[in-house]
Amino acid sequence: MYQTLMAEKEIDIEEIFDQFEDLRVVVVGDVMLDKYFWGTVDRISPEAPVPVVRVNQKESRLGGAANVALNCKQLGAQVTIASVIGNDADGIVLRDMLKNAGIGTELLHNSEHRPTTTKSRIISRNQQMIRLDEEVTEELNIKEEHHFIDTTLRFLQIEKPHLVIFEDYNKGVLKQNIIDKIIAHCKNIGITTAVDPKFANFLNYKEVDIFKPNLKEVKEGLGIDVDVLNEKTLFDVHLRLSEEINHKVTLLTLSEHGMYYHDNTQGALIPTMVRSVSDVSGAGDTVIAVAAMVYELTRDVAVMAQWSNLAGGLVCEEAGVVPISREVFLKELQQKF
């Protein structure tokens, strides 16, 4: 069993990495299957004025909440995913990929009323030409909702994980009742909660521990403009969020402008650590995974922000949705901190 490394103690990077392996994490939210088709274009279709892509490579990756779970697993945690997929071929592929990655699927439910959310990207010469989305974004029906709540709360009560991460992509799994019941149960039994929110449920995550929106989501969710990014304006955002949801920690990602954090005691605006951007897809998944796990082990919001900021920058250097590499991340941390 790990012991929390408090903020006043000097942070030992390798010790935290060792303790990642003791963490038990449940990721709740919208899972996706990301498909990639790479090919070459050397002619225009005779059927319509569109390029013909000759596919020479195909790949499927875990996306959405599944990518958050994979990031946690890559760092060594014991992870279970709680979500809903379709009773279809893509659902079978996604479930098998999760199992092969060592992620628990006992809270992954099949639905007869929705397909597995799938995003297919067609890429030529390192440029995405088109993306095809297969999804239903309506909320779970009452029967699915009640079953999801019952099984998830029972699992939390019996297994008592250290951490629950909500990954919301507005695809219908995270209804307000589901959010309310899980957060309340986590508070009752002492489980840390973190969320990467989206617009539809933005203010529904009352009393969550870590709230990690991006700047666009804050502007939409609070209905405000933040034209100047500095310590004062961002602290005002933190206060507005605190009034609305009564959370503990704000972790606000600002794209090329870096990241802002505050926990009502300390806060700062820190610059981005991206060296060369290849693809920002999935960076937010990595940030919430690293931030939540580091906070659970250290309760140090500065370390939480620094580490998750670096991790998000590292995955932006890769093409497509990819999880953080434990080895690369450890090496970068040792060089910088």
Side-chain angles (χ1 to χ4, degrees), residues 118-165:
T118 304
K119 297 181 179 180
S120 300
R121 298 167 175 86
I122 299 174
I123 303 167
S124 179
R125 296 182 180 179
N126 293 321
Q127 287 195 332
Q128 186 177 146
M129 302 180 65
I130 193 170
R131 194 180 87 182
L132 309 176
D133 288 5
E134 302 168 72
E135 63 184 20
V136 168
T137 59
E138 285 79 10
E139 293 183 338
L140 301 182
N141 61 43
I142 296 299
K143 182 179 178 181
E144 291 173 330
E145 173 189 343
H146 288 174
H147 181 59
F148 189 87
I149 291 172
D150 290 345
T151 55
T152 303
L153 296 191
R154 188 180 307 118
F155 182 90
L156 297 177
Q157 184 67 41
I158 294 171
E159 299 297 331
K160 291 184 172 58
H162 304 101
L163 182 62
V164 167
I165 302 174

Side-chain angles (χ1 to χ4, degrees), residues 81-101:
I81 189 78
S83 189
V84 177
I85 57 175
N87 190 19
D88 50 28
D90 287 332
I92 293 172
V93 171
L94 198 152
R95 185 182 292 271
D96 287 344
M97 289 178 66
L98 287 163
K99 288 181 177 178
N100 291 338

Side-chain angles (χ1 to χ4, degrees), residues 302-314:
V303 174
M304 172 201 74
Q306 291 164 354
W307 285 35
S308 60
N309 189 35
L310 175 61
L314 289 173

Side-chain angles (χ1 to χ4, degrees), residues 49-267:
V50 295
V52 175
V53 180
R54 187 170 68 252
V55 176
N56 50 46
Q57 183 182 350
K58 295 187 289 186
E59 184 181 1
S60 293
R61 299 178 185 175
L62 296 172
N67 187 42
V68 175
L70 184 58
N71 274 275
C72 294
K73 184 63 183 180
Q74 288 284 95
L75 291 175
Q78 303 160 52
V79 189
T80 302
I81 189 78
S83 189
V84 177
I85 57 175
N87 190 19
D88 50 28
D90 287 332
I92 293 172
V93 171
L94 198 152
R95 185 182 292 271
D96 287 344
M97 289 178 66
L98 287 163
K99 288 181 177 178
N100 291 338
I103 297 168
T105 59
E106 52 264 59
L107 298 178
L108 185 62
H109 306 277
N110 285 84
S111 172
E112 298 293 338
H113 306 288
R114 61 179 58 224
T116 301
T117 300
T118 304
K119 297 181 179 180
S120 300
R121 298 167 175 86
I122 299 174
I123 303 167
S124 179
R125 296 182 180 179
N126 293 321
Q127 287 195 332
Q128 186 177 146
M129 302 180 65
I130 193 170
R131 194 180 87 182
L132 309 176
D133 288 5
E134 302 168 72
E135 63 184 20
V136 168
T137 59
E138 285 79 10
E139 293 183 338
L140 301 182
N141 61 43
I142 296 299
K143 182 179 178 181
E144 291 173 330
E145 173 189 343
H146 288 174
H147 181 59
F148 189 87
I149 291 172
D150 290 345
T151 55
T152 303
L153 296 191
R154 188 180 307 118
F155 182 90
L156 297 177
Q157 184 67 41
I158 294 171
E159 299 297 331
K160 291 184 172 58
H162 304 101
L163 182 62
V164 167
I165 302 174
F166 296 91
E167 182 62 31
D168 195 344
Y169 274 91
N170 287 163
K171 305 302 180 186
V173 171
L174 289 170
K175 304 176 63 169
Q176 182 168 354
N177 191 40
I178 289 175
I179 296 166
D180 292 345
K181 291 286 176 55
I182 293 177
I183 290 179
H185 194 62
C186 287
K187 285 180 68 66
N188 286 337
I189 60 178
I191 299 172
T192 302
T193 53
V195 60
D196 187 0
K198 290 293 182 289
F199 177 71
N201 295 309
F202 191 79
L203 298 179
N204 291 340
Y205 292 95
K206 309 291 185 184
E207 299 191 355
V208 73
D209 291 308
I210 302 170
F211 193 73
K212 189 215 76 67
N214 61 35
L215 186 59
K216 179 176 182 290
E217 290 158 354
V218 159
K219 290 179 178 179
E220 293 176 348
L222 293 178
I224 61 174
D225 288 324
V226 187
D227 297 324
V228 179
L229 298 179
N230 57 39
E231 298 275 353
K232 182 183 182 305
T233 59
L234 295 171
F235 180 62
D236 289 342
V237 169
H238 167 70
L239 291 179
R240 282 286 306 274
L241 288 172
S242 297
E243 291 172 359
E244 294 285 351
I245 62 175
N246 193 30
H247 64 304
K248 289 184 179 178
V249 179
T250 295
L251 185 64
L252 176 57
T253 54
L254 305 168
S255 189
E256 71 273 14
H257 301 292
M259 182 180 289
Y260 178 79
Y261 68 90
H262 212 288
D263 68 347
N264 294 320
T265 300
Q266 61 171 313

